[in-house]
Amino acid sequence: MEDDDRPVPSGGVSKDAAQALASESLDRYSQDELSARIHLLEIEIERVKAHASRASAHRLAADALFRPRA
């Protein structure tokens, strides 16, 4: 099974990537490299927010479709 196909642990977030980033020493990076890293992380944050927004809209549509009729 591919890593991306595995279920996400309860709590919703795979801690492997986040823990790897959080535990990595930043001492070896230059200021330019740190700025580039921040930029990439900001892009990733926006990507995750956009996905969460689409998932929320999808859920609302499904809830509306399957809501019991009064």
Side-chain angles (χ1 to χ4, degrees):
M1 183 181 327
E2 295 292 323
D3 287 346
D4 291 344
D5 294 338
R6 284 193 248 167
V8 175
S10 66
V13 176
S14 171
K15 295 183 180 177
D16 294 339
Q19 283 178 341
L21 283 173
S23 64
E24 181 183 2
S25 173
L26 302 174
D27 294 340
R28 65 186 182 97
Y29 292 102
S30 70
Q31 287 183 332
D32 288 341
E33 290 169 326
L34 290 169
S35 293
R37 182 183 177 121
I38 290 168
H39 179 70
L40 288 172
L41 290 170
E42 288 170 340
I43 291 170
E44 177 62 5
I45 289 167
E46 290 305 314
R47 185 179 78 90
V48 172
K49 285 181 178 180
H51 183 79
S53 179
R54 288 190 305 273
S56 178
H58 184 82
R59 176 64 186 258
L60 289 173
D63 287 347
L65 181 64
F66 293 106
R67 182 178 307 134
R69 299 190 188 225

